[in-house]
Coordinates of all heavy atoms in Angstrom, one line a residue:
M2 N 0.8 -1.2 0.0 CA 0.0 0.0 0.0 C 0.9 1.2 0.0 O 1.8 1.3 0.8 CB -0.9 0.0 1.2 CG -1.9 1.1 1.3 SD -2.9 1.2 2.8 CE -3.8 -0.4 2.7
N3 N 0.5 2.2 -0.8 CA 1.3 3.5 -0.9 C 1.0 4.3 0.4 O -0.1 4.1 1.0 CB 0.9 4.3 -2.1 CG 1.3 3.6 -3.4 OD1 2.3 2.9 -3.4 ND2 0.6 3.9 -4.5
D4 N 1.9 5.2 0.7 CA 1.6 6.1 1.8 C 0.4 7.0 1.4 O 0.3 7.5 0.3 CB 2.8 7.0 2.1 CG 3.9 6.2 2.8 OD1 3.6 5.1 3.3 OD2 5.0 6.7 2.9
L5 N -0.5 7.1 2.4 CA -1.8 7.8 2.1 C -1.7 9.1 2.9 O -1.1 9.2 4.0 CB -3.0 7.0 2.5 CG -3.2 5.7 1.8 CD1 -4.3 4.9 2.4 CD2 -3.3 5.9 0.3
T6 N -2.4 10.1 2.4 CA -2.6 11.4 3.2 C -3.6 11.1 4.3 O -4.3 10.1 4.3 CB -3.1 12.5 2.3 OG1 -4.4 12.2 1.9 CG2 -2.2 12.7 1.1
V7 N -3.7 12.0 5.3 CA -4.6 11.9 6.3 C -6.0 11.9 5.8 O -6.9 11.1 6.2 CB -4.5 13.1 7.3 CG1 -5.7 13.2 8.3 CG2 -3.2 13.0 8.1
R8 N -6.3 12.7 4.8 CA -7.6 12.7 4.1 C -7.9 11.3 3.5 O -9.0 10.8 3.6 CB -7.7 13.7 3.0 CG -8.7 14.8 3.2 CD -8.7 15.9 2.2 NE -8.7 17.1 3.0 CZ -7.8 18.1 2.8 NH1 -6.8 18.0 1.9 NH2 -7.8 19.1 3.6
E9 N -6.9 10.7 2.8 CA -7.1 9.4 2.2 C -7.3 8.3 3.3 O -8.1 7.4 3.1 CB -5.9 9.1 1.3 CG -5.9 10.0 0.1 CD -4.5 9.9 -0.7 OE1 -3.5 9.6 -0.1 OE2 -4.5 10.2 -1.9
L10 N -6.6 8.4 4.4 CA -6.7 7.5 5.4 C -8.1 7.5 6.1 O -8.7 6.5 6.4 CB -5.6 7.7 6.5 CG -4.2 7.2 6.2 CD1 -3.2 7.8 7.2 CD2 -4.2 5.7 6.2
T11 N -8.6 8.7 6.2 CA -10.0 8.9 6.7 C -11.0 8.2 5.8 O -11.9 7.5 6.3 CB -10.3 10.4 6.8 OG1 -9.4 11.0 7.7 CG2 -11.7 10.7 7.4
V12 N -10.9 8.4 4.5 CA -11.8 7.7 3.6 C -11.6 6.2 3.7 O -12.6 5.5 3.8 CB -11.5 8.2 2.1 CG1 -12.3 7.4 1.1 CG2 -11.9 9.7 2.0
L13 N -10.4 5.7 3.7 CA -10.1 4.3 3.7 C -10.6 3.7 5.0 O -11.3 2.6 5.0 CB -8.6 4.0 3.6 CG -8.2 2.6 3.7 CD1 -8.7 1.7 2.5 CD2 -6.6 2.4 3.8
C14 N -10.2 4.2 6.1 CA -10.7 3.6 7.4 C -12.2 3.6 7.6 O -12.7 2.7 8.1 CB -10.0 4.4 8.6 SG -8.2 4.2 8.6
H15 N -12.8 4.7 7.1 CA -14.3 4.7 7.2 C -14.9 3.7 6.3 O -15.9 3.1 6.6 CB -14.8 6.1 7.0 CG -16.3 6.3 7.2 ND1 -16.9 5.9 8.3 CD2 -17.2 6.7 6.3 CE1 -18.2 6.0 8.2 NE2 -18.4 6.5 7.0
S16 N -14.4 3.6 5.1 CA -15.0 2.7 4.1 C -14.8 1.2 4.6 O -15.8 0.4 4.5 CB -14.4 2.9 2.7 OG -13.1 2.4 2.6
I17 N -13.7 0.9 5.2 CA -13.5 -0.5 5.7 C -14.5 -0.7 6.9 O -15.2 -1.8 6.9 CB -12.1 -0.7 6.2 CG1 -11.1 -0.7 5.0 CG2 -11.9 -2.0 7.0 CD1 -9.6 -0.7 5.4
A18 N -14.6 0.3 7.8 CA -15.5 0.1 8.9 C -17.0 -0.1 8.5 O -17.7 -0.9 9.0 CB -15.4 1.3 9.9
K19 N -17.4 0.7 7.4 CA -18.7 0.6 6.9 C -18.9 -0.7 6.3 O -20.0 -1.4 6.5 CB -18.9 1.7 5.8 CG -19.6 2.9 6.4 CD -19.8 4.1 5.4 CE -20.1 3.8 4.0 NZ -20.2 5.0 3.2
E20 N -18.0 -1.2 5.5 CA -18.0 -2.5 4.8 C -18.2 -3.6 5.9 O -18.8 -4.6 5.6 CB -16.7 -2.6 4.0 CG -16.6 -3.8 3.1 CD -15.2 -3.8 2.5 OE1 -14.9 -2.9 1.7 OE2 -14.5 -4.8 2.7
K21 N -17.6 -3.4 7.0 CA -17.6 -4.5 8.1 C -18.8 -4.3 9.0 O -18.9 -5.0 10.0 CB -16.3 -4.5 8.9 CG -15.0 -4.7 8.1 CD -15.0 -6.0 7.4 CE -13.8 -6.2 6.6 NZ -13.7 -7.4 5.8
G22 N -19.7 -3.4 8.6 CA -21.0 -3.3 9.4 C -21.0 -2.4 10.6 O -22.0 -2.3 11.3
F23 N -19.9 -1.7 10.8 CA -19.9 -0.9 12.0 C -20.7 0.4 12.0 O -20.8 1.1 13.0 CB -18.4 -0.5 12.4 CG -17.7 -1.8 12.9 CD1 -16.7 -2.4 12.1 CD2 -18.0 -2.4 14.1 CE1 -16.0 -3.5 12.5 CE2 -17.3 -3.5 14.5 CZ -16.3 -4.1 13.7
W24 N -21.2 0.7 10.8 CA -22.0 1.9 10.6 C -23.5 1.5 10.2 O -24.2 2.4 9.7 CB -21.4 2.9 9.7 CG -20.2 3.6 10.3 CD1 -18.9 3.1 10.3 CD2 -20.2 4.8 10.9 NE1 -18.1 4.0 10.9 CE2 -18.8 5.1 11.3 CE3 -21.1 5.8 11.2 CZ2 -18.4 6.2 12.0 CZ3 -20.7 7.0 11.9 CH2 -19.4 7.1 12.3
D25 N -23.8 0.3 10.3 CA -25.2 -0.1 9.9 C -26.3 0.6 10.7 O -27.3 0.9 10.2 CB -25.3 -1.7 10.1 CG -24.5 -2.4 9.0 OD1 -24.0 -1.8 8.1 OD2 -24.5 -3.7 9.1
E26 N -26.0 0.8 12.0 CA -26.9 1.6 12.9 C -26.2 2.9 13.2 O -25.0 3.0 13.1 CB -27.2 0.8 14.2 CG -28.1 -0.4 14.0 CD -27.2 -1.7 13.9 OE1 -26.2 -1.8 14.6 OE2 -27.6 -2.6 13.0
K27 N -27.0 3.8 13.7 CA -26.4 5.1 14.1 C -25.4 4.9 15.2 O -25.6 4.2 16.1 CB -27.6 6.0 14.6 CG -27.2 7.4 14.8 CD -28.5 8.2 15.2 CE -28.4 9.7 15.6 NZ -27.1 10.3 15.7
R28 N -24.2 5.5 15.0 CA -23.2 5.3 16.0 C -23.4 6.2 17.2 O -23.9 7.3 17.1 CB -21.8 5.7 15.4 CG -21.3 4.9 14.3 CD -21.0 3.4 14.7 NE -20.1 3.3 15.8 CZ -18.8 3.0 15.8 NH1 -18.2 2.8 14.6 NH2 -18.1 2.8 16.8
N29 N -23.0 5.6 18.3 CA -23.0 6.4 19.6 C -21.6 7.1 19.6 O -20.6 6.4 19.7 CB -23.2 5.4 20.8 CG -23.1 6.1 22.1 OD1 -22.3 7.0 22.3 ND2 -24.0 5.7 23.0
I30 N -21.6 8.4 19.5 CA -20.3 9.1 19.4 C -19.5 8.9 20.7 O -18.3 8.8 20.6 CB -20.5 10.6 19.1 CG1 -21.4 10.7 17.8 CG2 -19.2 11.3 19.0 CD1 -20.8 10.0 16.6
G31 N -20.1 9.0 21.8 CA -19.4 8.8 23.1 C -18.7 7.5 23.2 O -17.6 7.3 23.5
E32 N -19.5 6.4 22.7 CA -18.9 5.1 22.7 C -17.7 5.0 21.7 O -16.7 4.4 22.0 CB -20.0 4.1 22.3 CG -19.5 2.7 22.3 CD -20.6 1.7 21.8 OE1 -21.3 1.2 22.7 OE2 -20.7 1.5 20.6
A33 N -17.9 5.6 20.6 CA -16.8 5.6 19.6 C -15.6 6.3 20.1 O -14.4 5.8 19.9 CB -17.3 6.3 18.3
L34 N -15.7 7.4 20.8 CA -14.6 8.1 21.4 C -13.9 7.2 22.5 O -12.7 7.1 22.6 CB -15.0 9.4 22.0 CG -15.4 10.5 21.0 CD1 -16.0 11.7 21.7 CD2 -14.2 10.9 20.2
M35 N -14.7 6.5 23.3 CA -14.2 5.7 24.3 C -13.4 4.5 23.7 O -12.5 3.9 24.3 CB -15.2 5.2 25.3 CG -15.7 6.4 26.2 SD -14.3 7.2 27.1 CE -14.1 8.7 26.2
L36 N -13.9 4.0 22.6 CA -13.2 2.9 21.9 C -11.8 3.3 21.5 O -10.8 2.5 21.5 CB -14.0 2.4 20.8 CG -15.2 1.6 21.2 CD1 -16.1 1.3 20.0 CD2 -14.8 0.3 21.9
V37 N -11.6 4.6 21.2 CA -10.2 5.1 20.9 C -9.4 5.1 22.2 O -8.2 4.6 22.2 CB -10.3 6.6 20.4 CG1 -8.9 7.2 20.2 CG2 -11.1 6.7 19.1
V38 N -10.0 5.4 23.3 CA -9.3 5.4 24.6 C -8.9 3.9 24.9 O -7.8 3.7 25.4 CB -10.2 6.0 25.7 CG1 -9.6 5.8 27.1 CG2 -10.5 7.4 25.4
T39 N -9.8 3.0 24.6 CA -9.4 1.6 24.9 C -8.2 1.1 24.0 O -7.4 0.4 24.5 CB -10.6 0.6 24.6 OG1 -10.9 0.5 23.2 CG2 -11.8 0.9 25.4
E40 N -8.1 1.7 22.8 CA -6.9 1.3 22.0 C -5.7 1.9 22.6 O -4.6 1.3 22.6 CB -7.1 1.8 20.6 CG -8.3 1.2 19.8 CD -8.3 -0.3 19.6 OE1 -7.2 -0.9 19.9 OE2 -9.3 -0.8 19.2
L41 N -5.8 3.1 23.2 CA -4.6 3.8 23.8 C -4.3 3.0 25.1 O -3.1 2.8 25.4 CB -5.0 5.2 24.1 CG -5.1 6.1 22.9 CD1 -5.6 7.5 23.3 CD2 -3.8 6.2 22.1
A42 N -5.3 2.5 25.8 CA -5.0 1.7 27.0 C -4.3 0.4 26.6 O -3.4 -0.1 27.3 CB -6.3 1.3 27.7
E43 N -4.7 -0.2 25.5 CA -4.0 -1.4 25.0 C -2.6 -1.1 24.6 O -1.7 -1.9 24.8 CB -4.8 -2.0 23.8 CG -6.1 -2.6 24.2 CD -7.0 -3.0 23.0 OE1 -6.6 -2.8 21.8 OE2 -8.1 -3.5 23.2
A44 N -2.4 0.1 24.0 CA -1.0 0.6 23.7 C -0.2 0.7 25.0 O 1.0 0.3 25.0 CB -1.0 1.9 23.0
M45 N -0.8 1.2 26.0 CA -0.1 1.3 27.3 C 0.3 0.0 27.8 O 1.4 -0.2 28.3 CB -1.0 2.0 28.3 CG -0.5 2.2 29.7 SD 1.0 3.3 29.7 CE 1.6 3.0 31.3
E46 N -0.6 -1.0 27.7 CA -0.2 -2.4 28.1 C 0.9 -2.9 27.3 O 1.8 -3.6 27.8 CB -1.5 -3.3 28.0 CG -2.5 -3.1 29.1 CD -1.8 -3.4 30.5 OE1 -1.4 -4.5 30.8 OE2 -1.7 -2.4 31.2
G47 N 0.9 -2.7 26.0 CA 2.0 -3.1 25.1 C 3.3 -2.5 25.6 O 4.4 -3.1 25.7
H48 N 3.2 -1.2 26.0 CA 4.4 -0.5 26.4 C 4.9 -1.1 27.8 O 6.1 -1.3 28.0 CB 4.1 1.0 26.6 CG 5.2 1.8 27.2 ND1 6.4 2.0 26.5 CD2 5.3 2.4 28.4 CE1 7.2 2.8 27.3 NE2 6.6 3.0 28.4
R49 N 3.9 -1.3 28.7 CA 4.3 -1.9 30.0 C 4.9 -3.2 29.9 O 5.8 -3.6 30.6 CB 3.0 -2.0 30.9 CG 2.5 -0.7 31.4 CD 1.3 -0.9 32.3 NE 1.7 -1.7 33.5 CZ 1.0 -2.7 33.9 NH1 -0.1 -3.1 33.3 NH2 1.3 -3.4 35.0
H50 N 4.5 -4.0 28.9 CA 5.1 -5.4 28.7 C 6.2 -5.4 27.8 O 6.7 -6.4 27.3 CB 4.0 -6.3 28.3 CG 2.9 -6.6 29.3 ND1 1.7 -6.0 29.2 CD2 3.0 -7.2 30.5 CE1 1.0 -6.4 30.3 NE2 1.7 -7.1 31.1
Q51 N 6.7 -4.2 27.4 CA 7.8 -4.0 26.5 C 7.6 -4.8 25.2 O 8.5 -5.4 24.7 CB 9.1 -4.4 27.2 CG 9.4 -3.5 28.4 CD 10.7 -4.0 29.2 OE1 11.0 -5.1 29.2 NE2 11.3 -3.0 29.8
D52 N 6.4 -4.8 24.8 CA 6.0 -5.5 23.5 C 5.8 -4.4 22.4 O 4.7 -3.8 22.2 CB 4.7 -6.3 23.7 CG 4.3 -7.0 22.5 OD1 4.8 -6.8 21.4 OD2 3.4 -7.9 22.6
D53 N 6.9 -4.0 21.8 CA 6.9 -2.9 20.9 C 6.0 -3.1 19.7 O 5.3 -2.2 19.3 CB 8.3 -2.6 20.4 CG 8.4 -1.3 19.8 OD1 8.0 -0.2 20.4 OD2 8.9 -1.2 18.6
A54 N 5.9 -4.3 19.2 CA 5.0 -4.6 18.0 C 3.6 -4.3 18.4 O 2.8 -3.7 17.7 CB 5.2 -6.0 17.5
N55 N 3.2 -4.8 19.6 CA 1.8 -4.6 20.1 C 1.6 -3.1 20.4 O 0.5 -2.6 20.0 CB 1.6 -5.4 21.3 CG 0.2 -5.3 21.9 OD1 0.0 -4.7 22.9 ND2 -0.8 -5.8 21.1
F56 N 2.6 -2.4 21.0 CA 2.4 -1.0 21.2 C 2.1 -0.2 19.9 O 1.2 0.5 19.8 CB 3.7 -0.5 21.9 CG 3.8 1.0 22.1 CD1 3.0 1.6 23.0 CD2 4.8 1.7 21.3 CE1 3.1 3.0 23.1 CE2 4.9 3.1 21.5 CZ 4.0 3.7 22.4
R57 N 2.9 -0.5 18.9 CA 2.7 0.1 17.6 C 1.4 -0.2 17.0 O 0.7 0.7 16.4 CB 3.9 -0.3 16.6 CG 5.2 0.3 17.0 CD 6.3 -0.4 16.3 NE 7.6 0.1 16.7 CZ 8.4 0.9 16.0 NH1 8.0 1.4 14.9 NH2 9.5 1.3 16.5
E58 N 1.0 -1.5 17.1 CA -0.3 -1.9 16.5 C -1.5 -1.2 17.2 O -2.4 -0.8 16.5 CB -0.4 -3.4 16.6 CG -1.7 -3.9 15.9 CD -1.8 -5.4 15.9 OE1 -1.0 -6.0 15.2 OE2 -2.7 -5.9 16.6
E59 N -1.4 -1.1 18.5 CA -2.5 -0.4 19.2 C -2.6 1.0 18.9 O -3.7 1.6 18.9 CB -2.4 -0.7 20.7 CG -2.5 -2.2 21.1 CD -3.7 -2.9 20.5 OE1 -4.7 -2.3 20.2 OE2 -3.6 -4.2 20.5
L60 N -1.4 1.7 18.8 CA -1.4 3.1 18.3 C -2.1 3.2 17.0 O -2.9 4.1 16.8 CB 0.0 3.7 18.3 CG 0.7 3.9 19.6 CD1 2.1 4.5 19.3 CD2 -0.1 4.9 20.4
A61 N -1.8 2.3 16.1 CA -2.4 2.3 14.8 C -4.0 2.1 14.9 O -4.7 2.8 14.3 CB -1.9 1.2 13.9
D62 N -4.4 1.2 15.8 CA -5.8 1.0 16.0 C -6.5 2.3 16.5 O -7.6 2.7 16.1 CB -6.0 0.0 17.1 CG -6.0 -1.4 16.6 OD1 -6.0 -1.6 15.4 OD2 -5.9 -2.4 17.4
A63 N -5.8 3.1 17.4 CA -6.4 4.3 17.9 C -6.6 5.3 16.7 O -7.6 5.9 16.6 CB -5.5 4.9 18.9
F64 N -5.6 5.4 15.8 CA -5.7 6.3 14.7 C -6.8 5.8 13.7 O -7.6 6.6 13.2 CB -4.4 6.4 13.9 CG -3.4 7.4 14.5 CD1 -2.3 7.0 15.3 CD2 -3.6 8.8 14.4 CE1 -1.4 7.9 15.9 CE2 -2.7 9.7 14.9 CZ -1.6 9.2 15.7
I65 N -6.8 4.5 13.5 CA -7.8 4.0 12.6 C -9.2 4.3 13.1 O -10.1 4.7 12.4 CB -7.6 2.5 12.4 CG1 -6.4 2.2 11.6 CG2 -8.9 1.8 11.8 CD1 -5.9 0.8 11.6
R66 N -9.4 4.1 14.4 CA -10.8 4.5 15.0 C -11.1 5.9 14.8 O -12.2 6.3 14.6 CB -10.9 4.0 16.4 CG -11.0 2.5 16.6 CD -11.4 2.2 18.0 NE -11.4 0.8 18.3 CZ -12.5 0.0 18.1 NH1 -13.6 0.5 17.5 NH2 -12.5 -1.3 18.4
L67 N -10.1 6.8 15.1 CA -10.3 8.2 14.9 C -10.6 8.6 13.5 O -11.5 9.4 13.2 CB -9.1 9.0 15.4 CG -9.1 9.3 16.9 CD1 -7.7 9.9 17.3 CD2 -10.2 10.2 17.4
F68 N -9.8 8.1 12.5 CA -10.1 8.4 11.1 C -11.4 7.9 10.7 O -12.2 8.6 10.0 CB -9.0 7.7 10.2 CG -7.6 8.3 10.3 CD1 -6.5 7.5 10.3 CD2 -7.5 9.7 10.4 CE1 -5.2 8.1 10.4 CE2 -6.2 10.3 10.5 CZ -5.1 9.5 10.5
D69 N -11.8 6.7 11.2 CA -13.2 6.2 10.9 C -14.2 7.1 11.4 O -15.2 7.5 10.7 CB -13.3 4.8 11.5 CG -14.8 4.3 11.4 OD1 -15.5 4.6 10.4 OD2 -15.2 3.6 12.3
L70 N -14.1 7.5 12.6 CA -15.1 8.4 13.2 C -15.2 9.7 12.4 O -16.3 10.2 12.1 CB -14.7 8.7 14.7 CG -15.7 9.6 15.5 CD1 -17.1 9.0 15.5 CD2 -15.2 9.8 16.9
C71 N -14.0 10.3 12.1 CA -14.0 11.6 11.3 C -14.7 11.3 10.0 O -15.5 12.2 9.5 CB -12.6 12.1 11.2 SG -11.9 12.7 12.7
G72 N -14.4 10.2 9.4 CA -15.0 9.9 8.1 C -16.5 9.8 8.2 O -17.3 10.4 7.4
G73 N -17.0 9.1 9.3 CA -18.4 9.0 9.5 C -19.1 10.3 9.8 O -20.3 10.4 9.5
L74 N -18.4 11.2 10.4 CA -19.0 12.5 10.8 C -18.8 13.6 9.8 O -19.2 14.7 9.9 CB -18.5 12.9 12.2 CG -18.8 12.0 13.3 CD1 -18.2 12.5 14.6 CD2 -20.3 11.8 13.5
G75 N -18.1 13.2 8.7 CA -17.8 14.2 7.6 C -16.8 15.3 8.1 O -16.9 16.4 7.6
I76 N -16.0 14.9 9.0 CA -15.0 15.9 9.5 C -13.7 15.8 8.7 O -13.1 14.8 8.5 CB -14.7 15.7 11.0 CG1 -15.9 15.9 11.8 CG2 -13.5 16.5 11.4 CD1 -15.8 15.4 13.3
D77 N -13.3 17.0 8.1 CA -12.0 17.0 7.4 C -10.9 17.2 8.4 O -10.5 18.3 8.7 CB -12.0 18.2 6.4 CG -10.8 18.3 5.5 OD1 -9.8 17.6 5.8 OD2 -10.8 19.1 4.6
I78 N -10.4 16.1 8.9 CA -9.5 16.1 10.0 C -8.1 16.7 9.6 O -7.4 17.3 10.4 CB -9.4 14.8 10.8 CG1 -8.8 15.0 12.2 CG2 -8.7 13.7 10.0 CD1 -9.5 15.8 13.1
Q79 N -7.8 16.5 8.3 CA -6.6 17.1 7.7 C -6.6 18.6 7.9 O -5.7 19.2 8.4 CB -6.5 16.7 6.2 CG -5.3 17.4 5.5 CD -4.1 16.4 5.4 OE1 -4.2 15.4 4.8 NE2 -3.1 16.8 6.1
A80 N -7.7 19.2 7.6 CA -7.9 20.6 7.7 C -7.8 21.1 9.2 O -7.2 22.1 9.5 CB -9.2 21.1 7.0
E81 N -8.5 20.3 10.0 CA -8.5 20.6 11.4 C -7.1 20.5 12.1 O -6.7 21.3 12.9 CB -9.5 19.7 12.2 CG -10.9 19.8 11.8 CD -11.5 21.2 12.0 OE1 -11.1 21.9 12.9 OE2 -12.4 21.6 11.2
I82 N -6.3 19.5 11.7 CA -5.0 19.3 12.2 C -4.1 20.5 11.7 O -3.4 21.1 12.5 CB -4.4 18.0 11.8 CG1 -5.1 16.8 12.5 CG2 -2.9 18.0 12.0 CD1 -4.8 15.4 11.9
N83 N -4.2 20.8 10.4 CA -3.5 22.0 9.9 C -3.8 23.2 10.7 O -2.9 24.0 11.1 CB -3.8 22.2 8.4 CG -3.2 21.0 7.5 OD1 -2.4 20.2 8.0 ND2 -3.7 21.0 6.3
K84 N -5.1 23.5 10.9 CA -5.5 24.7 11.6 C -4.9 24.7 13.0 O -4.4 25.7 13.5 CB -7.0 24.7 11.7 CG -7.7 25.7 10.8 CD -9.2 25.9 11.2 CE -10.0 24.7 11.3 NZ -11.4 24.9 11.4
K85 N -5.0 23.6 13.7 CA -4.6 23.5 15.1 C -3.0 23.6 15.2 O -2.5 24.2 16.2 CB -5.0 22.2 15.8 CG -4.8 22.1 17.2 CD -5.6 23.3 18.0 CE -5.7 23.2 19.5 NZ -4.5 23.4 20.2
C86 N -2.3 23.0 14.3 CA -0.8 23.2 14.3 C -0.5 24.7 14.1 O 0.5 25.1 14.8 CB -0.2 22.3 13.2 SG -0.2 20.6 13.6
E87 N -1.1 25.4 13.2 CA -0.9 26.8 13.0 C -1.1 27.5 14.3 O -0.4 28.4 14.7 CB -1.7 27.4 11.9 CG -1.2 26.9 10.5 CD 0.3 27.2 10.3 OE1 0.7 28.3 10.5 OE2 1.0 26.3 9.8
K88 N -2.2 27.2 15.0 CA -2.6 27.8 16.3 C -1.5 27.5 17.3 O -1.1 28.4 18.1 CB -4.0 27.3 16.7 CG -4.5 28.0 18.0 CD -5.9 27.5 18.3 CE -6.5 28.0 19.5 NZ -7.8 27.5 19.8
N89 N -1.1 26.2 17.4 CA -0.1 25.8 18.4 C 1.2 26.6 18.2 O 1.9 26.8 19.2 CB 0.1 24.3 18.4 CG -1.1 23.6 19.0 OD1 -1.9 24.2 19.6 ND2 -1.1 22.3 18.8
K90 N 1.6 26.8 17.0 CA 2.8 27.5 16.7 C 2.8 28.9 17.3 O 3.9 29.4 17.7 CB 3.0 27.7 15.2 CG 3.5 26.5 14.5 CD 3.9 26.9 13.1 CE 3.6 25.9 12.1 NZ 3.7 26.4 10.7
T91 N 1.7 29.5 17.5 CA 1.6 30.9 18.1 C 1.6 30.8 19.6 O 1.7 31.9 20.3 CB 0.3 31.6 17.7 OG1 -0.8 31.0 18.2 CG2 0.2 31.6 16.1
R92 N 1.5 29.7 20.2 CA 1.4 29.6 21.7 C 2.7 29.7 22.3 O 3.8 29.4 21.7 CB 0.7 28.3 22.1 CG -0.7 28.2 21.5 CD -1.4 26.9 21.8 NE -1.9 26.9 23.2 CZ -2.6 25.9 23.8 NH1 -2.8 24.8 23.1 NH2 -3.0 26.0 25.0
P93 N 2.8 30.2 23.6 CA 4.1 30.4 24.2 C 4.7 29.0 24.6 O 4.1 28.0 24.6 CB 3.7 31.2 25.5 CG 2.3 30.9 25.7 CD 1.7 30.6 24.4
Y94 N 6.0 29.1 25.0 CA 6.8 28.0 25.5 C 6.0 27.2 26.5 O 5.5 27.9 27.5 CB 8.1 28.5 26.0 CG 9.1 27.4 26.4 CD1 9.8 26.6 25.5 CD2 9.3 27.1 27.8 CE1 10.6 25.6 25.9 CE2 10.1 26.1 28.2 CZ 10.8 25.4 27.2 OH 11.7 24.4 27.6
K95 N 5.8 25.9 26.4 CA 5.0 25.1 27.3 C 3.6 25.7 27.5 O 3.0 25.5 28.6 CB 5.8 24.9 28.6 CG 7.0 24.0 28.5 CD 7.6 23.5 29.8 CE 8.8 22.6 29.5 NZ 9.3 22.1 30.8
H96 N 3.2 26.4 26.5 CA 1.9 27.0 26.5 C 1.6 27.9 27.7 O 0.5 28.0 28.2 CB 0.8 25.9 26.4 CG 0.9 25.1 25.1 ND1 0.0 24.1 24.8 CD2 1.7 25.2 24.1 CE1 0.3 23.6 23.6 NE2 1.3 24.3 23.2
G97 N 2.7 28.5 28.2 CA 2.6 29.5 29.3 C 2.5 28.9 30.6 O 2.3 29.6 31.6
K98 N 2.6 27.5 30.7 CA 2.5 26.9 32.0 C 3.9 26.8 32.7 O 4.9 26.5 32.1 CB 1.9 25.5 31.9 CG 0.4 25.6 31.4 CD -0.3 24.3 31.4 CE -1.7 24.4 30.9 NZ -2.0 23.8 29.7
I99 N 3.9 27.0 34.0 CA 5.2 27.0 34.8 C 5.7 25.6 34.9 O 6.8 25.3 34.8 CB 5.0 27.7 36.1 CG1 4.7 29.2 35.9 CG2 6.3 27.5 37.0 CD1 4.2 29.9 37.1
C100 N 4.8 24.6 35.3 CA 5.2 23.2 35.5 C 4.5 22.3 34.6 O 3.6 22.6 33.9 CB 5.1 22.8 36.9 SG 3.5 23.1 37.6
Ligands
MG30 MG1 -6.5 -2.9 19.5

């Protein structure tokens, strides 16, 4: 597979999830967000067990779930990331926090 842009990954991840039936019924957005958290928790377990392959795979799962959700909600996450990075560039060192 060629490297895909964030926009292309959003389309791909959402189309796979739709094809596998995960969008047959209206999605519960809170549940979808918490499923991203579960993938991050799995990544944490991979890290704790020094299982680098599992750590990397679970991080990928978290992104896949986010891209799917953005695709399903029609969010152009590429544009949102670009906007937020530009905003972050203007923020002070450590975002102005002392500790
Ligand atoms: Mg997983």
Side-chain angles (χ1 to χ4, degrees):
M2 185 184 300
N3 293 331
D4 286 345
L5 302 174
T6 66
V7 167
R8 239 174 233 127
E9 290 166 336
L10 284 166
T11 300
V12 170
L13 176 66
C14 294
H15 184 55
S16 71
I17 292 171
K19 266 180 28 184
E20 187 183 298
K21 302 297 178 185
F23 292 107
W24 288 84
D25 288 352
E26 290 95 39
K27 189 174 178 356
R28 292 298 304 262
N29 176 320
I30 303 308
E32 180 183 271
L34 289 170
M35 287 307 100
L36 288 171
V37 176
V38 173
T39 66
E40 300 299 350
L41 294 174
E43 289 169 4
M45 178 63 191
E46 281 303 294
H48 176 69
R49 283 183 64 228
H50 293 107
Q51 298 176 330
D52 182 345
D53 194 52
N55 181 248
F56 174 67
R57 290 166 185 255
E58 183 175 294
E59 299 305 341
L60 287 179
D62 278 346
F64 278 102
I65 288 166
R66 286 192 184 275
L67 277 172
F68 288 141
D69 170 36
L70 182 60
C71 291
L74 298 177
I76 294 169
D77 182 351
I78 198 63
Q79 176 97 66
E81 297 299 330
I82 291 168
N83 291 345
K84 253 193 309 191
K85 190 60 168 71
C86 284
E87 288 305 314
K88 184 177 177 180
N89 285 349
K90 281 191 218 169
T91 69
R92 298 179 80 180
Y94 184 76
K95 292 192 176 180
H96 297 177
K98 293 186 178 114
I99 296 168
C100 50

